[in-house]
Amino acid sequence: MAEKKQEKHLTRWIVSVVVIVVVLIAGVFTYNRYTAGNSASGTTSKNDHYVLRLADESGVCEAPQQIAIAKGFFKKVGLKYQLVKLSAGTNGLDAITANKVDASNTMLAALVQPLANGANLKITTGLHTGCVSILTGKNSKITSAKQLKGKKIGVAEVAGSEATFTKRYLANAGLNVTTNNSSVQFVTYDASDLPIALSKGQVDAIAIEDPDTEIAVKQYGFHILASMASTKPFNTQYCCVAYVSDQLAQQHPEIARKYTLAMQEATNWVAKHQAEAARLQVQDKYVAGNPLTNLAAMKTYNWEASYNGGKQDFLQVAESLQKIGVVSKDVDVDALVNRSFLKEKGIQ
């Protein structure tokens, strides 16, 4: 009887071991399948059918995404997408943070501080130079950065791209632009009200984006004091970059790669077809105004998509923002650069 009980217990033990082994093997197999489909290393199946959510951005600067749609570059790489209309006052960065979109393109300088503060996104390529200008009034005698000391400068956002460029421009001339001891006063207005504020003398200068720059100069006779498209050393630095959410980068790296390839091809297409790009922007209602006015702005940009170029300029911008106190001194800039960029196969 004792022998039978021992034999029975042994049989149960063997069965239990077999079951455990089978469960472990199944778990490993499932894990490998999951990681193969969700790794950020680019091993996701090229048949990933995820529908990319794109922020529906407007403006001359956003031409790469607009042209990628209009000329079929997204479809060419097999990318499925949908445009997400953003509410007033919401930008692509806000939308990605709220998980409303997966990708967008915006000004590089506007991403440095959020990324330093832990924003969950990855830059995938630099797109082009240009975009922002600082304007003075028709009868203004201000002709240099130093003459803005003690003056008021109108911007749409104190932490926006326009203000960031202005701070770098002023700091480059030796002015203090730290929050607690700034040589100038930044005043916020709705973007559409900035030219009116300058024309009425409520501010001494304004910082705005294209095509508002060209429109304001023509309508009010303003002077361009500085421009990212022409003022050294900013004129050789990337203004706009493409970026994706961390979630997309991790779970759908092949989609992120296709998005970047299409954005690069669209950017390089614009370089050779600027007049056609300006026409399509107005025709498809991405940008208001006259195509010739928008074209005047586009001609001042260097349209050359580059991952390496964007990364190099991000480092320069981050270092300059750290010097003027926008980025904390505790931030390891080199580490910030490395964790802020996503490099996928085939991206130059």
Side-chain angles (χ1 to χ4, degrees):
M1 180 67 75
E3 291 180 357
K4 287 184 178 181
K5 286 184 177 181
Q6 290 179 354
E7 183 177 335
K8 190 175 182 180
H9 286 308
L10 179 61
T11 300
R12 287 179 178 176
W13 181 82
I14 293 174
V15 170
S16 299
V17 170
V18 170
V19 170
I20 292 172
V21 170
V22 169
V23 170
L24 288 173
I25 292 174
V28 171
F29 178 73
T30 301
Y31 175 79
N32 286 339
R33 287 186 61 188
Y34 175 81
T35 54
N38 294 280
S39 166
S41 64
T43 58
T44 295
S45 169
K46 294 185 183 301
N47 295 320
D48 188 345
H49 298 299
Y50 182 79
V51 178
L52 183 72
R53 299 170 299 168
L54 293 171
D56 188 6
E57 302 270 17
S58 61
V60 172
C61 291
E62 285 74 31
Q65 178 174 297
Q66 299 156 8
I67 295 304
I69 294 171
K71 301 301 293 184
F73 293 129
F74 285 142
K75 290 183 179 180
K76 180 179 176 181
V77 296
L79 186 66
K80 296 180 180 180
Y81 65 90
Q82 68 178 61
L83 287 177
V84 179
K85 192 70 176 178
L86 304 182
S87 58
T90 301
N91 56 36
L93 178 59
D94 295 332
I96 275 196
T97 301
N99 194 29
K100 293 181 179 179
V101 301
D102 303 302
S104 187
N105 55 135
T106 192
M107 296 185 189
L108 181 153
L111 296 179
V112 176
Q113 188 175 17
L115 282 165
N117 292 336
N120 296 319
L121 61 91
K122 292 287 186 292
I123 299 172
T124 64
T125 183
L127 297 172
H128 60 80
T129 63
C131 292
V132 179
S133 296
I134 301 171
L135 306 182
T136 56
K138 182 178 181 179
N139 299 316
S140 175
K141 296 182 179 180
I142 297 174
T143 58
S144 69
K146 290 185 178 181
Q147 290 176 310
L148 284 172
K149 185 175 182 179
K151 306 296 184 182
K152 294 181 179 180
I153 302 176
V155 294
E157 298 176 70
V158 174
S161 300
E162 300 92 336
T164 300
F165 166 60
T166 304
K167 290 175 182 178
R168 295 181 65 212
Y169 170 69
L170 296 174
N172 204 47
L175 272 67
N176 192 330
V177 292
T178 57
T179 303
N180 298 325
N181 191 28
S182 179
S183 299
V184 302
Q185 180 182 353
F186 286 97
V187 184
T188 58
Y189 291 85
D190 287 340
S192 59
D193 293 334
L194 284 169
I196 299 173
L198 180 56
S199 68
K200 290 183 176 181
Q202 296 171 344
V203 293
D204 301 286
I206 58 174
I208 58 176
E209 299 178 24
D210 296 326
D212 294 339
T213 297
E214 289 71 28
I215 295 172
V217 168
K218 184 176 181 180
Q219 183 174 350
Y220 295 96
F222 295 157
H223 303 288
I224 298 178
L225 177 64
S227 168
M228 283 194 69
S230 59
T231 303
K232 295 180 180 180
F234 313 102
N235 60 324
T236 60
Q237 298 174 354
Y238 278 91
C239 166
C240 288
V241 296
Y243 61 97
V244 300
S245 69
D246 275 350
Q247 182 174 324
L248 186 83
Q250 293 170 10
Q251 298 182 3
H252 304 280
E254 180 63 15
I255 300 299
R257 189 182 76 86
K258 289 179 177 180
Y259 164 72
T260 307
L261 285 172
M263 290 290 282
Q264 288 194 334
E265 184 171 4
T267 301
N268 296 333
W269 184 91
V270 173
K272 299 177 181 178
H273 307 87
Q274 292 182 28
E276 177 68 1
R279 184 188 67 79
L280 287 171
Q281 283 185 314
V282 174
Q283 173 188 289
D284 294 347
K285 299 181 180 180
Y286 287 114
V287 183
N290 190 315
L292 293 178
T293 301
N294 300 340
L295 178 60
M298 296 175 75
K299 284 185 174 180
T300 65
Y301 305 170
N302 177 26
W303 300 87
E304 186 178 355
S306 170
Y307 169 88
N308 291 328
K311 192 172 184 179
Q312 178 180 334
D313 287 349
F314 184 96
L315 174 62
Q316 293 178 4
V317 173
E319 288 178 338
S320 67
L321 292 181
Q322 190 172 56
K323 287 180 181 179
I324 63 179
V326 174
V327 173
S328 172
K329 292 182 179 179
D330 297 331
V331 173
D332 183 332
V333 174
D334 289 328
L336 173 63
V337 174
N338 289 330
R339 70 171 181 264
S340 297
F341 279 74
L342 173 70
K343 180 65 181 292
E344 290 288 356
K345 183 179 179 180
I347 305 302
Q348 302 300 318

